[in-house]
């Protein structure tokens, strides 16, 4: 079962920061997941719509200038990273799941991904794009596919699996509430991997292993390798 560092390694380090990404790599993850939004023309790595929970700023992220965002403390003195900085730091040593948070960042994300793949072919097969936004996912599916596509969802697993088949997706990303043995069997029969979010507790890690899922997103990705239940 693959270990996917959630928001870097959010249980150990400030989420969605370079420090968290570096920690996840030291912990031996297979993939790293980060959230990305387009703000002031820049792709920034950030989860929420507002600044309060994870920074010393306040207000809506979308209303900030990039310069103002970069002046904030995102935890332990970290700045909010650009997506390019995360790609540079990982350097194709592990996979990167870019979760597109805004409805409008598909073009920018696929453009930067295309640049990195051209420059560094080692990235091939190691970039996985996903979004809860179904319109954005369909739009990604229609683009030139030099990346893997993940179907991220919260409800209606059968509909998500149908979309995954229709879009020839690499993976489906159910929550722990949505995943079942039947869903795993159906996905595997269609050649689609199952990556489950967000799995932190040892017992839950054991349950996911027993269900035969292919990977789990975890704030404590080190636990995924350790805990055999
Ligand atoms: O992409 C998996 C997981 O990160 C989805 O939920 O809210 O943590 O971005 P969230
Ligand atoms: Mg996410």
């Amino acid at each position: 079962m693959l270990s996917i560092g959630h928001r870097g390694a959010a249980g150990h380090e400030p989420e969605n920061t370079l420090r968290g990404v570096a920690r996840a790599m030291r912990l031996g993850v297979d993939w790293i997941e980060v959230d990305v939004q387009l703000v002031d023309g820049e792709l920034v790595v950030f989860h929420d719509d507002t600044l309060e929970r994870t920074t010393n700023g306040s207000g809506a992220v979308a209303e900030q200038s990039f310069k103002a965002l970069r002046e904030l403390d995102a935890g332990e003195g970290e700045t909010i990273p650009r997506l390019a900085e995360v790609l540079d730091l990982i350097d194709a040593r592990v996979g990167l799941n870019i979760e597109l948070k805004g409805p409008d960042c598909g073009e920018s994300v696929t453009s930067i991904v295309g640049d990195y793949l051209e420059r560094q072919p080692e990235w091939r097969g190691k970039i996985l794009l996903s979004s809860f936004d179904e319109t954005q996912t369909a739009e990604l599916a229609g683009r030139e596919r030099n990346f893997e596509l993940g179907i991220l969802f919260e409800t209606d697993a059968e509909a998500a699996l149908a979309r995954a088949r229709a879009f020839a997706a690499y993976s489906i990303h159910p929550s722990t509430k949505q995943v079942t043995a039947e869903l795993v069997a159906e996905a595997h029969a269609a050649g689609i991997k199952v990556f489950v979010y967000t799995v932190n507790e040892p017992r839950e890690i054991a349950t996911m292993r027993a269900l035969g899922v292919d990977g789990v997103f975890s704030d404590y990705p080190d636990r995924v390798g350790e805990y055999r239940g």
Side-chain angles (χ1 to χ4, degrees):
M1 189 166 78
L2 298 180
S3 155
I4 308 166
H6 184 235
R7 306 182 195 173
H12 295 288
E13 302 287 357
E15 69 179 50
N16 285 324
T17 62
L18 295 180
R19 183 181 169 122
V21 169
R23 179 72 173 265
M25 283 195 290
R26 287 203 303 279
L27 293 173
V29 298
D30 301 289
W31 289 83
I32 291 173
E33 184 259 6
V34 294
D35 306 290
V36 165
Q37 314 185 20
L38 188 62
V39 183
D40 190 19
E42 298 275 354
L43 285 170
V44 296
V45 177
F46 201 80
H47 180 276
D48 293 1
D49 293 334
T50 52
L51 295 168
E52 284 81 353
R53 184 179 62 84
T54 59
T55 77
N56 58 347
S58 62
V61 180
E63 286 164 15
Q64 311 298 313
S65 67
F66 178 67
K67 186 171 175 293
L69 281 183
R70 289 289 266 193
E71 282 162 7
L72 299 175
D73 185 339
E76 305 196 28
E78 289 290 297
T79 50
I80 297 171
R82 287 186 170 99
L83 176 59
E85 292 170 315
V86 170
L87 285 156
D88 288 341
L89 177 58
I90 296 178
D91 197 26
R93 286 175 287 167
V94 300
L96 178 61
N97 175 204
I98 305 169
E99 187 194 334
L100 287 72
K101 282 293 183 196
D104 57 353
C105 45
E107 174 132 31
S108 307
V109 170
T110 51
S111 162
I112 189 172
V113 163
D115 289 349
Y116 274 78
L117 279 163
E118 204 165 297
R119 251 192 283 151
Q120 209 178 357
E122 296 89 340
W123 275 111
R124 195 157 284 281
K126 290 185 177 169
I127 305 245
L128 174 60
L129 304 188
S130 58
S131 177
F132 280 118
D133 185 306
E134 287 182 30
T135 308
Q136 174 137 273
T137 304
E139 196 252 341
L140 286 174
R143 288 179 178 270
E144 187 197 345
R145 205 84 74 78
N146 49 14
F147 52 84
E148 309 297 345
L149 182 68
I151 303 299
L152 176 60
F153 63 99
E154 275 177 308
T155 56
D156 202 345
E158 282 305 319
L161 188 59
R163 285 201 301 285
R165 284 201 198 92
F167 296 151
Y170 178 76
S171 50
I172 55 170
H173 304 179
S175 72
T176 51
K177 293 191 185 72
Q178 290 292 317
V179 67
T180 61
E182 293 71 36
L183 181 69
V184 174
E186 281 182 289
H188 286 172
I192 296 166
K193 295 189 186 301
V194 181
F195 295 154
V196 182
Y197 68 93
T198 302
V199 187
N200 289 335
E201 297 311 317
R203 287 248 54 96
E204 234 175 2
I205 292 171
T207 303
M208 292 304 127
R209 199 183 298 284
L211 282 173
V213 311
D214 300 282
V216 292
F217 297 88
S218 183
D219 296 329
Y220 301 91
D222 43 320
R223 294 181 184 172
V224 178
E226 278 166 14
Y227 194 80
R228 299 280 155 191

